Amino acid sequence: MAGAEWERPIGREKHLADQSYCHRLQHDMYFLISTSRLNEQVVDKIVLQLNRVYPQILTNEEAEKFRNPKASLHTRLSDLLKHLQKKGDRHCQEFYRALQINAEQLFNDLPSRKILSPVFFLACFSVAAGLALFWYCCNSGKLSWLGCMWFHAKGGDPPGEHCGCHAVGRNCPGAEQVLA
């Protein structure tokens, strides 16, 4: 992914533009270092990528430090993330870029990326509006009309003048059977 594309959030990622990469990394840090989500090879690839990008994010000495097999993976990863946060937003951004390239599934599972989409909010609003309409109909006596339509749709007598269900203010005789 090119740098310009990385910096321009699209769609559901728009909210992430409001957060700095360092803030996101602070939020994701526990997730990344807990339960060995990143293995030795992936961490090495990320460190090497951060060492080789231009402008260089990690110096050769820093890269060696974070790839040192004498230290535990947990310690190296924790130290790397803290180091990147101290260096600034650009360094944290490059970490996310390296993570996406080398561990895309893990990148997609990050807590900072788990947001509720606008479709979710639209669905919740629709359910709330439906419940409000149902509540209104229950309290205003219009539920009988809804019951009438359901009664007729389920095979009851067809609606018409004989039951008066389409006349204003009248209830269908079959509606009480349906609602009972």
Side-chain angles (χ1 to χ4, degrees):
M1 184 180 256
E5 292 173 8
W6 177 258
E7 294 170 8
R8 259 183 292 168
I10 301 170
R12 75 179 199 100
E13 296 175 3
K14 239 180 187 168
H15 88 289
L16 298 176
D18 296 337
Q19 296 180 357
S20 74
Y21 288 96
C22 289
H23 183 264
R24 287 176 53 196
L25 191 55
Q26 179 68 35
H27 182 69
D28 293 333
M29 191 170 180
Y30 179 76
F31 176 82
L32 290 167
I33 58 179
S34 67
T35 63
S36 304
R37 295 184 198 278
L38 286 170
N39 62 34
E40 190 89 27
Q41 292 82 15
V42 175
V43 171
D44 282 348
K45 287 179 181 179
I46 290 171
V47 169
L48 287 173
Q49 184 171 340
L50 294 175
N51 178 243
R52 294 177 181 156
V53 295
Y54 179 81
Q56 194 175 34
I57 301 299
L58 295 176
T59 65
N60 290 343
E61 292 171 358
E62 291 168 336
E64 286 178 29
K65 174 186 169 187
F66 297 123
R67 293 185 71 217
N68 182 0
K70 291 179 183 176
S72 73
L73 178 61
H74 181 274
T75 301
R76 287 184 284 143
L77 183 57
S78 179
D79 289 347
L80 171 65
L81 298 178
K82 289 175 187 173
H83 174 77
L84 294 172
Q85 287 176 323
K86 287 178 187 173
K87 289 286 206 161
D89 213 44
R90 176 77 174 139
H91 289 70
C92 295
Q93 179 184 14
E94 287 299 328
F95 170 80
Y96 278 108
R97 196 164 164 243
L99 183 65
Q100 184 178 24
I101 290 168
N102 294 293
E104 188 172 1
Q105 185 58 48
L106 181 62
F107 176 79
N108 291 331
D109 292 340
L110 289 172
S112 64
R113 296 185 53 81
K114 295 292 177 189
I115 62 165
L116 300 175
S117 70
V119 174
F120 174 78
F121 289 107
L122 184 60
C124 289
F125 178 76
S126 298
V127 168
L131 288 173
L133 179 64
F134 182 74
W135 183 283
Y136 171 77
C137 289
C138 285
N139 290 334
S140 67
K142 295 183 180 183
L143 187 59
S144 297
W145 180 81
L146 293 172
C148 170
M149 295 310 290
W150 188 43
F151 173 74
H152 293 302
K154 292 288 184 192
D157 294 333
E161 296 300 322
H162 67 279
C163 69
C165 57
H166 289 303
V168 177
R170 298 221 180 144
N171 293 331
C172 175
E176 285 74 30
Q177 296 172 9
V178 172
L179 296 174

